[in-house]
Amino acid sequence: MAELSSRSLTADIQSAMKSGDKERLSVLRMLATALKTAEVEKGGELAPDDALAVVAREVKKRQQTADEFEKAGRLDRAEAERREAEMLKGWLPEELPDSELAALVDAAIAETGASTPQEMGKVMAALMPKVKGRADGRKVSELVKKGLGG
């Protein structure tokens, strides 16, 4: 994962400009804008976790948009959105392997003492801070549901 800082982002933007990679340049500029907007909304510099949350949000937006384009039969636009999401994922920490994620889910279920699907919120509240930015929320939710017999 690339260290998410304004200096490294600026260096990547300059590199994309020099290489003529317009698609990468566009994605990096969009990321810089999203980060700046989040800083303005917060009223100060973003903590590393906050910056990663912005990147994760942008990845999710691209994935959802790609799905919508695919449903509409616009496969060219869907593919472009997926490429952008992949570029943005380079700024996120590496995803947890399935085995490690399953172990964290089991540990969170044991830690909270949850045993029914109705207690899923309690498990998710304990688990999400541990996997933030390193696992897809939908995937985590499915594993928790399965672990609680749902």
Side-chain angles (χ1 to χ4, degrees):
M1 169 194 101
E3 168 88 20
L4 186 57
S5 71
S6 60
R7 182 174 294 156
S8 62
L9 186 56
T10 300
D12 270 9
I13 289 172
Q14 290 172 346
S15 172
M17 288 172 76
K18 288 178 184 175
S19 69
D21 188 346
K22 291 181 181 182
E23 185 176 36
R24 182 164 176 74
L25 178 61
S26 173
V27 171
L28 292 171
R29 283 181 171 164
M30 174 281 313
L31 178 57
T33 300
L35 289 167
K36 190 65 175 170
T37 300
E39 279 184 357
V40 169
E41 287 172 357
K42 183 180 178 189
E45 197 170 319
L46 295 176
D49 281 351
D50 294 335
L52 289 177
V54 170
V55 177
R57 185 173 58 237
E58 292 299 322
V59 168
K60 188 174 182 177
K61 279 184 197 176
R62 301 266 158 343
Q63 290 169 335
Q64 289 173 339
T65 302
D67 290 344
E68 292 301 316
F69 275 129
E70 200 169 283
K71 286 178 190 171
R74 297 285 315 271
L75 300 180
D76 56 330
R77 287 296 308 144
E79 183 57 35
E81 291 291 330
R82 286 198 172 89
R83 280 193 313 270
E84 288 183 13
E86 285 304 312
M87 282 182 229
L88 289 169
K89 282 182 183 179
W91 290 93
L92 292 174
E94 200 170 304
E95 269 197 32
L96 289 169
D98 289 345
S99 59
E100 196 174 326
L101 183 57
L104 286 170
V105 168
D106 292 342
I109 290 172
E111 175 187 315
T112 59
S115 59
T116 65
Q118 289 76 19
E119 297 173 292
M120 187 171 167
K122 195 170 21 171
V123 177
M124 292 296 287
L127 184 59
M128 286 312 287
K130 297 175 185 172
V131 300
K132 190 175 186 178
R134 298 180 60 209
D136 178 51
R138 220 176 330 180
K139 187 177 187 179
V140 173
S141 176
E142 289 170 10
L143 286 173
V144 170
K145 197 179 292 183
K146 191 186 303 180
L148 293 173

mmCIF file with all atom_site columns, all heavy atoms in Angstrom, residues 31-59:
data_model
loop_
_atom_site.group_PDB
_atom_site.id
_atom_site.type_symbol
_atom_site.label_atom_id
_atom_site.label_alt_id
_atom_site.label_comp_id
_atom_site.label_asym_id
_atom_site.label_entity_id
_atom_site.label_seq_id
_atom_site.pdbx_PDB_ins_code
_atom_site.Cartn_x
_atom_site.Cartn_y
_atom_site.Cartn_z
_atom_site.occupancy
_atom_site.B_iso_or_equiv
_atom_site.pdbx_formal_charge
_atom_site.auth_seq_id
_atom_site.auth_comp_id
_atom_site.auth_asym_id
_atom_site.auth_atom_id
_atom_site.pdbx_PDB_model_num
ATOM 1   N N   . LEU A 1 31 ? -9.112  11.871 -6.039 1.00 0.00 ? 31 LEU A N   1
ATOM 2   C CA  . LEU A 1 31 ? -8.798  11.480 -4.671 1.00 0.00 ? 31 LEU A CA  1
ATOM 3   C C   . LEU A 1 31 ? -8.295  12.680 -3.865 1.00 0.00 ? 31 LEU A C   1
ATOM 4   O O   . LEU A 1 31 ? -8.706  12.888 -2.724 1.00 0.00 ? 31 LEU A O   1
ATOM 5   C CB  . LEU A 1 31 ? -7.760  10.357 -4.656 1.00 0.00 ? 31 LEU A CB  1
ATOM 6   C CG  . LEU A 1 31 ? -7.296  9.876  -3.285 1.00 0.00 ? 31 LEU A CG  1
ATOM 7   C CD1 . LEU A 1 31 ? -8.473  9.411  -2.438 1.00 0.00 ? 31 LEU A CD1 1
ATOM 8   C CD2 . LEU A 1 31 ? -6.261  8.772  -3.439 1.00 0.00 ? 31 LEU A CD2 1
ATOM 9   N N   . ALA A 1 32 ? -7.437  13.470 -4.474 1.00 0.00 ? 32 ALA A N   1
ATOM 10  C CA  . ALA A 1 32 ? -6.920  14.664 -3.793 1.00 0.00 ? 32 ALA A CA  1
ATOM 11  C C   . ALA A 1 32 ? -8.072  15.612 -3.437 1.00 0.00 ? 32 ALA A C   1
ATOM 12  O O   . ALA A 1 32 ? -8.112  16.173 -2.336 1.00 0.00 ? 32 ALA A O   1
ATOM 13  C CB  . ALA A 1 32 ? -5.890  15.367 -4.671 1.00 0.00 ? 32 ALA A CB  1
ATOM 14  N N   . THR A 1 33 ? -9.011  15.770 -4.351 1.00 0.00 ? 33 THR A N   1
ATOM 15  C CA  . THR A 1 33 ? -10.169 16.633 -4.109 1.00 0.00 ? 33 THR A CA  1
ATOM 16  C C   . THR A 1 33 ? -11.041 16.071 -2.987 1.00 0.00 ? 33 THR A C   1
ATOM 17  O O   . THR A 1 33 ? -11.487 16.811 -2.105 1.00 0.00 ? 33 THR A O   1
ATOM 18  C CB  . THR A 1 33 ? -11.005 16.790 -5.404 1.00 0.00 ? 33 THR A CB  1
ATOM 19  O OG1 . THR A 1 33 ? -10.171 17.371 -6.411 1.00 0.00 ? 33 THR A OG1 1
ATOM 20  C CG2 . THR A 1 33 ? -12.223 17.647 -5.185 1.00 0.00 ? 33 THR A CG2 1
ATOM 21  N N   . ALA A 1 34 ? -11.276 14.757 -2.998 1.00 0.00 ? 34 ALA A N   1
ATOM 22  C CA  . ALA A 1 34 ? -12.097 14.130 -1.961 1.00 0.00 ? 34 ALA A CA  1
ATOM 23  C C   . ALA A 1 34 ? -11.444 14.289 -0.588 1.00 0.00 ? 34 ALA A C   1
ATOM 24  O O   . ALA A 1 34 ? -12.124 14.577 0.401  1.00 0.00 ? 34 ALA A O   1
ATOM 25  C CB  . ALA A 1 34 ? -12.313 12.652 -2.278 1.00 0.00 ? 34 ALA A CB  1
ATOM 26  N N   . LEU A 1 35 ? -10.131 14.135 -0.534 1.00 0.00 ? 35 LEU A N   1
ATOM 27  C CA  . LEU A 1 35 ? -9.415  14.292 0.734  1.00 0.00 ? 35 LEU A CA  1
ATOM 28  C C   . LEU A 1 35 ? -9.467  15.737 1.223  1.00 0.00 ? 35 LEU A C   1
ATOM 29  O O   . LEU A 1 35 ? -9.662  16.005 2.401  1.00 0.00 ? 35 LEU A O   1
ATOM 30  C CB  . LEU A 1 35 ? -7.964  13.820 0.597  1.00 0.00 ? 35 LEU A CB  1
ATOM 31  C CG  . LEU A 1 35 ? -7.784  12.310 0.448  1.00 0.00 ? 35 LEU A CG  1
ATOM 32  C CD1 . LEU A 1 35 ? -6.367  11.982 0.006  1.00 0.00 ? 35 LEU A CD1 1
ATOM 33  C CD2 . LEU A 1 35 ? -8.131  11.596 1.742  1.00 0.00 ? 35 LEU A CD2 1
ATOM 34  N N   . LYS A 1 36 ? -9.295  16.687 0.290  1.00 0.00 ? 36 LYS A N   1
ATOM 35  C CA  . LYS A 1 36 ? -9.344  18.104 0.656  1.00 0.00 ? 36 LYS A CA  1
ATOM 36  C C   . LYS A 1 36 ? -10.737 18.484 1.152  1.00 0.00 ? 36 LYS A C   1
ATOM 37  O O   . LYS A 1 36 ? -10.876 19.210 2.145  1.00 0.00 ? 36 LYS A O   1
ATOM 38  C CB  . LYS A 1 36 ? -8.949  18.963 -0.563 1.00 0.00 ? 36 LYS A CB  1
ATOM 39  C CG  . LYS A 1 36 ? -8.738  20.407 -0.226 1.00 0.00 ? 36 LYS A CG  1
ATOM 40  C CD  . LYS A 1 36 ? -7.560  20.549 0.708  1.00 0.00 ? 36 LYS A CD  1
ATOM 41  C CE  . LYS A 1 36 ? -7.246  21.997 0.977  1.00 0.00 ? 36 LYS A CE  1
ATOM 42  N NZ  . LYS A 1 36 ? -6.274  22.144 2.046  1.00 0.00 ? 36 LYS A NZ  1
ATOM 43  N N   . THR A 1 37 ? -11.757 17.972 0.485  1.00 0.00 ? 37 THR A N   1
ATOM 44  C CA  . THR A 1 37 ? -13.134 18.238 0.897  1.00 0.00 ? 37 THR A CA  1
ATOM 45  C C   . THR A 1 37 ? -13.380 17.698 2.314  1.00 0.00 ? 37 THR A C   1
ATOM 46  O O   . THR A 1 37 ? -13.992 18.377 3.146  1.00 0.00 ? 37 THR A O   1
ATOM 47  C CB  . THR A 1 37 ? -14.133 17.595 -0.090 1.00 0.00 ? 37 THR A CB  1
ATOM 48  O OG1 . THR A 1 37 ? -13.905 18.149 -1.386 1.00 0.00 ? 37 THR A OG1 1
ATOM 49  C CG2 . THR A 1 37 ? -15.571 17.826 0.326  1.00 0.00 ? 37 THR A CG2 1
ATOM 50  N N   . ALA A 1 38 ? -12.887 16.498 2.592  1.00 0.00 ? 38 ALA A N   1
ATOM 51  C CA  . ALA A 1 38 ? -13.048 15.911 3.922  1.00 0.00 ? 38 ALA A CA  1
ATOM 52  C C   . ALA A 1 38 ? -12.317 16.744 4.979  1.00 0.00 ? 38 ALA A C   1
ATOM 53  O O   . ALA A 1 38 ? -12.820 16.920 6.089  1.00 0.00 ? 38 ALA A O   1
ATOM 54  C CB  . ALA A 1 38 ? -12.543 14.472 3.927  1.00 0.00 ? 38 ALA A CB  1
ATOM 55  N N   . GLU A 1 39 ? -11.143 17.267 4.620  1.00 0.00 ? 39 GLU A N   1
ATOM 56  C CA  . GLU A 1 39 ? -10.402 18.130 5.551  1.00 0.00 ? 39 GLU A CA  1
ATOM 57  C C   . GLU A 1 39 ? -11.186 19.397 5.865  1.00 0.00 ? 39 GLU A C   1
ATOM 58  O O   . GLU A 1 39 ? -11.263 19.828 7.012  1.00 0.00 ? 39 GLU A O   1
ATOM 59  C CB  . GLU A 1 39 ? -9.042  18.512 4.971  1.00 0.00 ? 39 GLU A CB  1
ATOM 60  C CG  . GLU A 1 39 ? -7.986  17.476 5.131  1.00 0.00 ? 39 GLU A CG  1
ATOM 61  C CD  . GLU A 1 39 ? -6.624  17.923 4.626  1.00 0.00 ? 39 GLU A CD  1
ATOM 62  O OE1 . GLU A 1 39 ? -6.498  19.048 4.078  1.00 0.00 ? 39 GLU A OE1 1
ATOM 63  O OE2 . GLU A 1 39 ? -5.674  17.146 4.787  1.00 0.00 ? 39 GLU A OE2 1
ATOM 64  N N   . VAL A 1 40 ? -11.763 19.994 4.838  1.00 0.00 ? 40 VAL A N   1
ATOM 65  C CA  . VAL A 1 40 ? -12.542 21.219 5.021  1.00 0.00 ? 40 VAL A CA  1
ATOM 66  C C   . VAL A 1 40 ? -13.757 20.930 5.897  1.00 0.00 ? 40 VAL A C   1
ATOM 67  O O   . VAL A 1 40 ? -14.069 21.695 6.813  1.00 0.00 ? 40 VAL A O   1
ATOM 68  C CB  . VAL A 1 40 ? -12.963 21.811 3.654  1.00 0.00 ? 40 VAL A CB  1
ATOM 69  C CG1 . VAL A 1 40 ? -13.994 22.908 3.823  1.00 0.00 ? 40 VAL A CG1 1
ATOM 70  C CG2 . VAL A 1 40 ? -11.746 22.329 2.907  1.00 0.00 ? 40 VAL A CG2 1
ATOM 71  N N   . GLU A 1 41 ? -14.437 19.803 5.628  1.00 0.00 ? 41 GLU A N   1
ATOM 72  C CA  . GLU A 1 41 ? -15.611 19.447 6.422  1.00 0.00 ? 41 GLU A CA  1
ATOM 73  C C   . GLU A 1 41 ? -15.233 19.208 7.879  1.00 0.00 ? 41 GLU A C   1
ATOM 74  O O   . GLU A 1 41 ? -15.984 19.558 8.785  1.00 0.00 ? 41 GLU A O   1
ATOM 75  C CB  . GLU A 1 41 ? -16.275 18.196 5.848  1.00 0.00 ? 41 GLU A CB  1
ATOM 76  C CG  . GLU A 1 41 ? -17.005 18.457 4.545  1.00 0.00 ? 41 GLU A CG  1
ATOM 77  C CD  . GLU A 1 41 ? -17.504 17.183 3.872  1.00 0.00 ? 41 GLU A CD  1
ATOM 78  O OE1 . GLU A 1 41 ? -17.237 16.066 4.379  1.00 0.00 ? 41 GLU A OE1 1
ATOM 79  O OE2 . GLU A 1 41 ? -18.156 17.309 2.825  1.00 0.00 ? 41 GLU A OE2 1
ATOM 80  N N   . LYS A 1 42 ? -14.070 18.604 8.098  1.00 0.00 ? 42 LYS A N   1
ATOM 81  C CA  . LYS A 1 42 ? -13.618 18.322 9.465  1.00 0.00 ? 42 LYS A CA  1
ATOM 82  C C   . LYS A 1 42 ? -13.094 19.582 10.141 1.00 0.00 ? 42 LYS A C   1
ATOM 83  O O   . LYS A 1 42 ? -13.125 19.706 11.357 1.00 0.00 ? 42 LYS A O   1
ATOM 84  C CB  . LYS A 1 42 ? -12.524 17.256 9.434  1.00 0.00 ? 42 LYS A CB  1
ATOM 85  C CG  . LYS A 1 42 ? -12.055 16.850 10.811 1.00 0.00 ? 42 LYS A CG  1
ATOM 86  C CD  . LYS A 1 42 ? -10.981 15.804 10.756 1.00 0.00 ? 42 LYS A CD  1
ATOM 87  C CE  . LYS A 1 42 ? -10.532 15.495 12.176 1.00 0.00 ? 42 LYS A CE  1
ATOM 88  N NZ  . LYS A 1 42 ? -9.372  14.663 12.227 1.00 0.00 ? 42 LYS A NZ  1
ATOM 89  N N   . GLY A 1 43 ? -12.591 20.497 9.338  1.00 0.00 ? 43 GLY A N   1
ATOM 90  C CA  . GLY A 1 43 ? -12.037 21.726 9.896  1.00 0.00 ? 43 GLY A CA  1
ATOM 91  C C   . GLY A 1 43 ? -10.591 21.572 10.328 1.00 0.00 ? 43 GLY A C   1
ATOM 92  O O   . GLY A 1 43 ? -10.123 22.275 11.216 1.00 0.00 ? 43 GLY A O   1
ATOM 93  N N   . GLY A 1 44 ? -9.897  20.654 9.725  1.00 0.00 ? 44 GLY A N   1
ATOM 94  C CA  . GLY A 1 44 ? -8.490  20.426 10.056 1.00 0.00 ? 44 GLY A CA  1
ATOM 95  C C   . GLY A 1 44 ? -7.943  19.241 9.298  1.00 0.00 ? 44 GLY A C   1
ATOM 96  O O   . GLY A 1 44 ? -8.635  18.632 8.483  1.00 0.00 ? 44 GLY A O   1
ATOM 97  N N   . GLU A 1 45 ? -6.692  18.909 9.596  1.00 0.00 ? 45 GLU A N   1
ATOM 98  C CA  . GLU A 1 45 ? -6.034  17.803 8.909  1.00 0.00 ? 45 GLU A CA  1
ATOM 99  C C   . GLU A 1 45 ? -6.685  16.477 9.293  1.00 0.00 ? 45 GLU A C   1
ATOM 100 O O   . GLU A 1 45 ? -7.107  16.279 10.431 1.00 0.00 ? 45 GLU A O   1
ATOM 101 C CB  . GLU A 1 45 ? -4.547  17.786 9.287  1.00 0.00 ? 45 GLU A CB  1
ATOM 102 C CG  . GLU A 1 45 ? -3.714  16.959 8.348  1.00 0.00 ? 45 GLU A CG  1
ATOM 103 C CD  . GLU A 1 45 ? -2.231  17.142 8.595  1.00 0.00 ? 45 GLU A CD  1
ATOM 104 O OE1 . GLU A 1 45 ? -1.811  18.297 8.837  1.00 0.00 ? 45 GLU A OE1 1
ATOM 105 O OE2 . GLU A 1 45 ? -1.516  16.133 8.563  1.00 0.00 ? 45 GLU A OE2 1
ATOM 106 N N   . LEU A 1 46 ? -6.759  15.577 8.335  1.00 0.00 ? 46 LEU A N   1
ATOM 107 C CA  . LEU A 1 46 ? -7.357  14.271 8.578  1.00 0.00 ? 46 LEU A CA  1
ATOM 108 C C   . LEU A 1 46 ? -6.373  13.338 9.268  1.00 0.00 ? 46 LEU A C   1
ATOM 109 O O   . LEU A 1 46 ? -5.190  13.317 8.932  1.00 0.00 ? 46 LEU A O   1
ATOM 110 C CB  . LEU A 1 46 ? -7.783  13.623 7.255  1.00 0.00 ? 46 LEU A CB  1
ATOM 111 C CG  . LEU A 1 46 ? -8.884  14.288 6.455  1.00 0.00 ? 46 LEU A CG  1
ATOM 112 C CD1 . LEU A 1 46 ? -9.099  13.552 5.144  1.00 0.00 ? 46 LEU A CD1 1
ATOM 113 C CD2 . LEU A 1 46 ? -10.169 14.339 7.244  1.00 0.00 ? 46 LEU A CD2 1
ATOM 114 N N   . ALA A 1 47 ? -6.894  12.559 10.200 1.00 0.00 ? 47 ALA A N   1
ATOM 115 C CA  . ALA A 1 47 ? -6.104  11.491 10.808 1.00 0.00 ? 47 ALA A CA  1
ATOM 116 C C   . ALA A 1 47 ? -5.947  10.393 9.757  1.00 0.00 ? 47 ALA A C   1
ATOM 117 O O   . ALA A 1 47 ? -6.773  10.292 8.832  1.00 0.00 ? 47 ALA A O   1
ATOM 118 C CB  . ALA A 1 47 ? -6.824  10.948 12.032 1.00 0.00 ? 47 ALA A CB  1
ATOM 119 N N   . PRO A 1 48 ? -4.910  9.563  9.861  1.00 0.00 ? 48 PRO A N   1
ATOM 120 C CA  . PRO A 1 48 ? -4.721  8.494  8.873  1.00 0.00 ? 48 PRO A CA  1
ATOM 121 C C   . PRO A 1 48 ? -5.957  7.614  8.683  1.00 0.00 ? 48 PRO A C   1
ATOM 122 O O   . PRO A 1 48 ? -6.295  7.258  7.553  1.00 0.00 ? 48 PRO A O   1
ATOM 123 C CB  . PRO A 1 48 ? -3.541  7.692  9.429  1.00 0.00 ? 48 PRO A CB  1
ATOM 124 C CG  . PRO A 1 48 ? -2.763  8.691  10.224 1.00 0.00 ? 48 PRO A CG  1
ATOM 125 C CD  . PRO A 1 48 ? -3.804  9.611  10.822 1.00 0.00 ? 48 PRO A CD  1
ATOM 126 N N   . ASP A 1 49 ? -6.649  7.272  9.771  1.00 0.00 ? 49 ASP A N   1
ATOM 127 C CA  . ASP A 1 49 ? -7.854  6.445  9.655  1.00 0.00 ? 49 ASP A CA  1
ATOM 128 C C   . ASP A 1 49 ? -8.954  7.166  8.885  1.00 0.00 ? 49 ASP A C   1
ATOM 129 O O   . ASP A 1 49 ? -9.694  6.556  8.111  1.00 0.00 ? 49 ASP A O   1
ATOM 130 C CB  . ASP A 1 49 ? -8.387  6.051  11.038 1.00 0.00 ? 49 ASP A CB  1
ATOM 131 C CG  . ASP A 1 49 ? -7.615  4.903  11.651 1.00 0.00 ? 49 ASP A CG  1
ATOM 132 O OD1 . ASP A 1 49 ? -6.775  4.300  10.950 1.00 0.00 ? 49 ASP A OD1 1
ATOM 133 O OD2 . ASP A 1 49 ? -7.850  4.608  12.841 1.00 0.00 ? 49 ASP A OD2 1
ATOM 134 N N   . ASP A 1 50 ? -9.059  8.483  9.095  1.00 0.00 ? 50 ASP A N   1
ATOM 135 C CA  . ASP A 1 50 ? -10.068 9.265  8.386  1.00 0.00 ? 50 ASP A CA  1
ATOM 136 C C   . ASP A 1 50 ? -9.754  9.321  6.888  1.00 0.00 ? 50 ASP A C   1
ATOM 137 O O   . ASP A 1 50 ? -10.654 9.225  6.051  1.00 0.00 ? 50 ASP A O   1
ATOM 138 C CB  . ASP A 1 50 ? -10.151 10.690 8.945  1.00 0.00 ? 50 ASP A CB  1
ATOM 139 C CG  . ASP A 1 50 ? -10.669 10.726 10.379 1.00 0.00 ? 50 ASP A CG  1
ATOM 140 O OD1 . ASP A 1 50 ? -11.387 9.794  10.781 1.00 0.00 ? 50 ASP A OD1 1
ATOM 141 O OD2 . ASP A 1 50 ? -10.334 11.691 11.095 1.00 0.00 ? 50 ASP A OD2 1
ATOM 142 N N   . ALA A 1 51 ? -8.483  9.480  6.565  1.00 0.00 ? 51 ALA A N   1
ATOM 143 C CA  . ALA A 1 51 ? -8.076  9.514  5.155  1.00 0.00 ? 51 ALA A CA  1
ATOM 144 C C   . ALA A 1 51 ? -8.353  8.168  4.488  1.00 0.00 ? 51 ALA A C   1
ATOM 145 O O   . ALA A 1 51 ? -8.854  8.125  3.357  1.00 0.00 ? 51 ALA A O   1
ATOM 146 C CB  . ALA A 1 51 ? -6.598  9.876  5.036  1.00 0.00 ? 51 ALA A CB  1
ATOM 147 N N   . LEU A 1 52 ? -8.066  7.084  5.190  1.00 0.00 ? 52 LEU A N   1
ATOM 148 C CA  . LEU A 1 52 ? -8.349  5.756  4.636  1.00 0.00 ? 52 LEU A CA  1
ATOM 149 C C   . LEU A 1 52 ? -9.849  5.554  4.444  1.00 0.00 ? 52 LEU A C   1
ATOM 150 O O   . LEU A 1 52 ? -10.269 4.926  3.475  1.00 0.00 ? 52 LEU A O   1
ATOM 151 C CB  . LEU A 1 52 ? -7.780  4.664  5.537  1.00 0.00 ? 52 LEU A CB  1
ATOM 152 C CG  . LEU A 1 52 ? -6.265  4.533  5.548  1.00 0.00 ? 52 LEU A CG  1
ATOM 153 C CD1 . LEU A 1 52 ? -5.832  3.461  6.538  1.00 0.00 ? 52 LEU A CD1 1
ATOM 154 C CD2 . LEU A 1 52 ? -5.721  4.225  4.169  1.00 0.00 ? 52 LEU A CD2 1
ATOM 155 N N   . ALA A 1 53 ? -10.646 6.102  5.352  1.00 0.00 ? 53 ALA A N   1
ATOM 156 C CA  . ALA A 1 53 ? -12.099 6.002  5.222  1.00 0.00 ? 53 ALA A CA  1
ATOM 157 C C   . ALA A 1 53 ? -12.574 6.730  3.962  1.00 0.00 ? 53 ALA A C   1
ATOM 158 O O   . ALA A 1 53 ? -13.489 6.263  3.279  1.00 0.00 ? 53 ALA A O   1
ATOM 159 C CB  . ALA A 1 53 ? -12.782 6.567  6.456  1.00 0.00 ? 53 ALA A CB  1
ATOM 160 N N   . VAL A 1 54 ? -11.945 7.862  3.646  1.00 0.00 ? 54 VAL A N   1
ATOM 161 C CA  . VAL A 1 54 ? -12.294 8.601  2.423  1.00 0.00 ? 54 VAL A CA  1
ATOM 162 C C   . VAL A 1 54 ? -11.968 7.746  1.196  1.00 0.00 ? 54 VAL A C   1
ATOM 163 O O   . VAL A 1 54 ? -12.783 7.628  0.278  1.00 0.00 ? 54 VAL A O   1
ATOM 164 C CB  . VAL A 1 54 ? -11.548 9.954  2.358  1.00 0.00 ? 54 VAL A CB  1
ATOM 165 C CG1 . VAL A 1 54 ? -11.721 10.614 1.000  1.00 0.00 ? 54 VAL A CG1 1
ATOM 166 C CG2 . VAL A 1 54 ? -12.043 10.887 3.460  1.00 0.00 ? 54 VAL A CG2 1
ATOM 167 N N   . VAL A 1 55 ? -10.797 7.134  1.190  1.00 0.00 ? 55 VAL A N   1
ATOM 168 C CA  . VAL A 1 55 ? -10.405 6.290  0.054  1.00 0.00 ? 55 VAL A CA  1
ATOM 169 C C   . VAL A 1 55 ? -11.373 5.113  -0.071 1.00 0.00 ? 55 VAL A C   1
ATOM 170 O O   . VAL A 1 55 ? -11.847 4.808  -1.175 1.00 0.00 ? 55 VAL A O   1
ATOM 171 C CB  . VAL A 1 55 ? -8.957  5.784  0.194  1.00 0.00 ? 55 VAL A CB  1
ATOM 172 C CG1 . VAL A 1 55 ? -8.601  4.858  -0.958 1.00 0.00 ? 55 VAL A CG1 1
ATOM 173 C CG2 . VAL A 1 55 ? -7.981  6.949  0.251  1.00 0.00 ? 55 VAL A CG2 1
ATOM 174 N N   . ALA A 1 56 ? -11.684 4.466  1.048  1.00 0.00 ? 56 ALA A N   1
ATOM 175 C CA  . ALA A 1 56 ? -12.603 3.325  1.021  1.00 0.00 ? 56 ALA A CA  1
ATOM 176 C C   . ALA A 1 56 ? -13.976 3.742  0.492  1.00 0.00 ? 56 ALA A C   1
ATOM 177 O O   . ALA A 1 56 ? -14.600 3.008  -0.284 1.00 0.00 ? 56 ALA A O   1
ATOM 178 C CB  . ALA A 1 56 ? -12.732 2.723  2.414  1.00 0.00 ? 56 ALA A CB  1
ATOM 179 N N   . ARG A 1 57 ? -14.432 4.932  0.897  1.00 0.00 ? 57 ARG A N   1
ATOM 180 C CA  . ARG A 1 57 ? -15.724 5.445  0.425  1.00 0.00 ? 57 ARG A CA  1
ATOM 181 C C   . ARG A 1 57 ? -15.697 5.660  -1.087 1.00 0.00 ? 57 ARG A C   1
ATOM 182 O O   . ARG A 1 57 ? -16.647 5.329  -1.792 1.00 0.00 ? 57 ARG A O   1
ATOM 183 C CB  . ARG A 1 57 ? -16.064 6.735  1.165  1.00 0.00 ? 57 ARG A CB  1
ATOM 184 C CG  . ARG A 1 57 ? -17.431 7.277  0.850  1.00 0.00 ? 57 ARG A CG  1
ATOM 185 C CD  . ARG A 1 57 ? -17.817 8.468  1.714  1.00 0.00 ? 57 ARG A CD  1
ATOM 186 N NE  . ARG A 1 57 ? -16.879 9.570  1.588  1.00 0.00 ? 57 ARG A NE  1
ATOM 187 C CZ  . ARG A 1 57 ? -16.226 10.121 2.611  1.00 0.00 ? 57 ARG A CZ  1
ATOM 188 N NH1 . ARG A 1 57 ? -16.401 9.679  3.833  1.00 0.00 ? 57 ARG A NH1 1
ATOM 189 N NH2 . ARG A 1 57 ? -15.397 11.126 2.414  1.00 0.00 ? 57 ARG A NH2 1
ATOM 190 N N   . GLU A 1 58 ? -14.580 6.192  -1.593 1.00 0.00 ? 58 GLU A N   1
ATOM 191 C CA  . GLU A 1 58 ? -14.458 6.427  -3.032 1.00 0.00 ? 58 GLU A CA  1
ATOM 192 C C   . GLU A 1 58 ? -14.421 5.103  -3.807 1.00 0.00 ? 58 GLU A C   1
ATOM 193 O O   . GLU A 1 58 ? -14.994 4.999  -4.890 1.00 0.00 ? 58 GLU A O   1
ATOM 194 C CB  . GLU A 1 58 ? -13.218 7.272  -3.334 1.00 0.00 ? 58 GLU A CB  1
ATOM 195 C CG  . GLU A 1 58 ? -13.301 8.705  -2.823 1.00 0.00 ? 58 GLU A CG  1
ATOM 196 C CD  . GLU A 1 58 ? -14.453 9.500  -3.427 1.00 0.00 ? 58 GLU A CD  1
ATOM 197 O OE1 . GLU A 1 58 ? -14.741 9.334  -4.631 1.00 0.00 ? 58 GLU A OE1 1
ATOM 198 O OE2 . GLU A 1 58 ? -15.065 10.298 -2.692 1.00 0.00 ? 58 GLU A OE2 1
ATOM 199 N N   . VAL A 1 59 ? -13.761 4.093  -3.244 1.00 0.00 ? 59 VAL A N   1
ATOM 200 C CA  . VAL A 1 59 ? -13.721 2.769  -3.886 1.00 0.00 ? 59 VAL A CA  1
ATOM 201 C C   . VAL A 1 59 ? -15.136 2.211  -3.950 1.00 0.00 ? 59 VAL A C   1
ATOM 202 O O   . VAL A 1 59 ? -15.575 1.714  -4.995 1.00 0.00 ? 59 VAL A O   1
ATOM 203 C CB  . VAL A 1 59 ? -12.784 1.796  -3.114 1.00 0.00 ? 59 VAL A CB  1
ATOM 204 C CG1 . VAL A 1 59 ? -12.968 0.364  -3.600 1.00 0.00 ? 59 VAL A CG1 1
ATOM 205 C CG2 . VAL A 1 59 ? -11.335 2.222  -3.264 1.00 0.00 ? 59 VAL A CG2 1
#
